[in-house]
Amino acid sequence: MERKYGLIGHPVSHSLSPQMHAAAYQSLHLDATYEAMDVPPVQLKAMLHKVRAGNIDGLNVTLPHKVAVLPYLDELDEDAHAIGAVNTIVRCGHRLIGKNTDGTGYMTALLARVDARKLACANVLVIGAGGAARAIVYALCKHGVGYVTVANRTLTRAQQLVAHFPQWPVKAAPLLQVEEDLSPYDVLIQTTSVGMTPHVREIPLSLETLAQHTFVSEIIYHPIETALIKTAKARGNKTSPGIGMFVEQAALSIYYWTQRWPDRVPMTETVLKLTK
Ligand code: ATR
């Protein structure tokens, strides 16, 4: 029987997820569809009621609903609870379980590029303090990564993020101050929306003080290489673009829905084709 999956957000028309999921399902020989559904906030409750009734087997959730869906779910897993947001809903009968695959998806992509042993004592700088940053900081801490600094344009938002993880070595800093000396950081992770298509020339911070050994990681995947990644590469730094996280968070959602891992290669190729 055909399984029905989808994405809810507002807007979602530009999402690359339907094509990427189609490639994933093909790799699993899965009889399934994935539809991007534009759900304005006033329709969110009714939409989740439809899911609970059994019309849809699983959902991805994107902006602006990642936090707003929480009251309509029956359970949250550990990651969704700690991150305070949901990007994946699994329907078990008439129960809805909220999960979050962003942090683990990011970590899987990072570990494909960086030697895990180097992360144990690493000094990590996270740029931005939004939902994506919170998922990534949580995943870094859970993996026991050395030290994390959250640098944000608005310091209070960084402080609020850090306050969620009092048991871990995470601190907040103003972006302008951190930018003055980037040399202490082993890994820099860019989580803001700065540089996303169509604003491809924008860069959230100057890399003038960046050390040669710093690994520069980005979560934006459209364009495939942001101005930040291009600048870091031109300086001779090792980098990883955001496509890895995009593919891995989707692969983990599919695993949660089907208990099977899709092939990342056709998923990645599909996204590369669509962002050319
Ligand atoms: P998400 O949940 O997708 O991470 P968000 O909550 O809107 O998105 O967060 C966006 C992040 O990008 C914030 O950290 C924001 O900084 P502020 O808290 O100061 O607004 C950051 N951001 C957006 N535009 C920026 C810019 N031009 N320069 C630096 N940071 C920027």
Side-chain angles (χ1 to χ4, degrees), residues 173-191:
L175 183 56
L176 279 176
Q177 184 190 314
V178 160
E179 195 180 21
E180 280 172 20
D181 183 13
L182 294 172
S183 64
Y185 300 104
D186 305 304
V187 181
L188 183 156
I189 306 170
Q190 196 308 104
T191 75

Side-chain angles (χ1 to χ4, degrees), residues 46-81:
M47 179 69 208
L48 288 165
H49 188 74
K50 262 174 75 177
V51 179
R52 191 186 292 281
N55 298 13
I56 296 168
D57 299 292
L59 270 189
N60 281 138
V61 182
T62 189
L63 300 178
H65 303 317
K66 285 185 174 191
V67 177
V69 293
L70 296 182
Y72 307 117
L73 305 175
D74 300 292
E75 279 169 54
L76 293 183
D77 78 354
E78 189 191 334
D79 289 1
H81 182 73

Side-chain angles (χ1 to χ4, degrees), residues 63 128-133 152-154 157 175 191-194 204:
L63 300 178
N152 198 45
R153 183 177 57 177
T154 313
R157 281 194 84 192
L175 183 56
T191 75
T192 77
S193 52
V194 181

Side-chain angles (χ1 to χ4, degrees), residues 104-118:
T104 302
Y106 174 78
M107 214 55 214
T108 306
L110 181 70
L111 288 170
R113 303 292 285 257
V114 174
D115 183 345
R117 288 168 300 182
K118 286 196 179 147

